[in-house]
Amino acid sequence: AAAIAAYSGLGLLAAAMVVSFRTNAAIPQAALVLSTVLGGVYFPTSVLPPSIAPIAEWIPLTPALRAFRRTLLMGYPVSGVAGDLVSATVIAALCLAVGVIAARWAFGYARRNGSLAQY
């Protein structure tokens, strides 16, 4: 649920770009590529170079996948993945906050420009 919320925030950010500038600046594609490559989908994040590993921890999919794998595949209890769940929730809250703020700004900007009627 936290990963879905985080990507909803990124979706709001992309929608804000479309409303404001009539382009999404490839945010959805960049989020997809970064998430799959650095998020631990194809290979574990432990094999990433030390300079990139801290960046991977801020990708919403990383703690969510780690918690998901530990509970389903390794049999960890929910209390055993509490750190990952908290991390995923914090990232989701940040992404949602940025997305909502960007959407509010974008609609205000489009209203002032008179381009809101196009949508």
Side-chain angles (χ1 to χ4, degrees), residues 2-81:
I4 292 170
Y7 287 106
S8 297
L10 293 176
L12 283 171
L13 184 63
M17 298 284 290
V18 169
V19 169
S20 301
F21 309 114
R22 297 189 190 113
T23 182
N24 62 6
I27 287 178
Q29 292 85 4
L32 177 67
V33 169
L34 283 175
S35 292
T36 55
V37 172
L38 298 179
V41 173
Y42 296 124
F43 48 83
T45 57
S46 60
V47 300
L48 290 174
S51 59
I52 298 176
I55 296 169
E57 289 301 317
W58 282 97
I59 294 177
L61 198 57
T62 303
L65 269 178
R66 191 170 37 236
F68 192 65
R69 286 179 178 144
R70 286 180 179 172
T71 54
L72 287 180
L73 300 176
M74 297 179 191
Y76 279 49
V78 175
S79 61
V81 293

